[in-house]
Amino acid sequence: MYRNDPIVPTFALILAAGLFYMAYLDGLHIARLLGHTPEELSVGQIGLMAFGAVFLLYGLIGLVSYWLEGVELRPGRHFPTPSTAPVAVGVILVLLLTALSGFFVRLIVYSAQTGHNPAWLQGLVFGAISLVVATLLGIYKKYFGRDEVVTEEEKSHFPW
C-alpha cells in the first residue's frame, strides 16, 4: 500500500477499547457469580486484554505513521519548516520528563528506605516517562528531522 489511511487504525483503537471494556465486564460477571472479586484474572480476561493490546498497538502505530508521513509518501527530500511551537512543546515535555524522572528516583529511594514497594506507582510513572520520551521522538521526527523518500523498482524474479 502506498497510502496511509487513518480509518482502519481508528477502528482498531475503538475495537481495543471495546475488548478492554469486555474484559472489565467479564471481571464484574465473575465477581457477581463468586460473591467477591477474585485475586487472579480469568482466561477470558487475559485473552480479551491480549487481543485488545494487539489492536491498541496496531492502531497507535497506524495513527502515528499517518501523523508523521501524511496520506501519501512523495519521493524527494523534505525539509521541516521552522517554528517556535514545537520548540516550546519540546521544552515543556523535557521539563515534565525531568520531574517524572526525579519522582521515579524518589520512589526507588523510598522503597529502599521503608521496605514498602508501591510497584503499581513505579510502573505508572515509568510508563509515563516512556510515553513522554516517545512523544519527544515523534515531535523531533515530525518538526526537526529531514526526510528523504527514495523509490526503487521492484527486484523480484517472479514472472507474475
Side-chain angles (χ1 to χ4, degrees):
M1 289 180 55
Y2 298 106
R3 298 180 61 84
N4 272 341
D5 189 14
I7 295 171
V8 175
T10 303
F11 280 118
L13 287 177
I14 293 169
L15 183 61
L19 288 172
F20 283 123
Y21 186 66
M22 285 173 53
Y24 171 73
L25 290 179
D26 187 41
L28 288 179
H29 178 69
I30 291 171
R32 190 179 69 226
L33 289 176
L34 292 177
H36 62 86
T37 304
E39 296 277 331
E40 63 277 345
L41 296 172
S42 71
V43 174
Q45 286 176 308
I46 293 171
L48 288 171
M49 287 190 291
F51 280 110
V54 168
F55 283 117
L56 178 73
L57 189 61
Y58 173 76
L60 288 177
I61 288 172
L63 288 179
V64 167
S65 173
Y66 175 74
W67 179 66
L68 287 176
E69 298 168 355
V71 175
E72 188 174 333
L73 288 176
R74 304 196 188 280
R77 290 186 177 192
H78 304 282
F79 299 99
T81 58
S83 176
T84 57
V87 174
V89 171
V91 168
I92 290 170
L93 286 175
V94 166
L95 291 174
L96 178 65
L97 182 65
T98 304
L100 286 171
S101 300
F103 184 60
F104 185 73
V105 169
R106 183 68 186 129
L107 275 174
I108 299 295
V109 170
Y110 169 77
S111 66
Q113 289 175 345
T114 63
H116 176 65
N117 190 12
W120 66 272
L121 186 58
Q122 291 172 358
L124 189 71
V125 172
F126 190 76
I129 288 171
S130 300
L131 288 176
V132 169
V133 168
T135 306
L136 279 170
L137 289 173
I139 287 173
Y140 174 77
K141 169 113 175 60
K142 174 80 174 177
Y143 296 107
F144 299 107
R146 294 180 178 168
D147 288 334
E148 183 173 2
V149 178
V150 180
T151 58
E152 296 179 2
E153 293 183 24
E154 187 176 346
K155 297 178 181 174
S156 65
H157 299 289
F158 296 106
W160 56 84

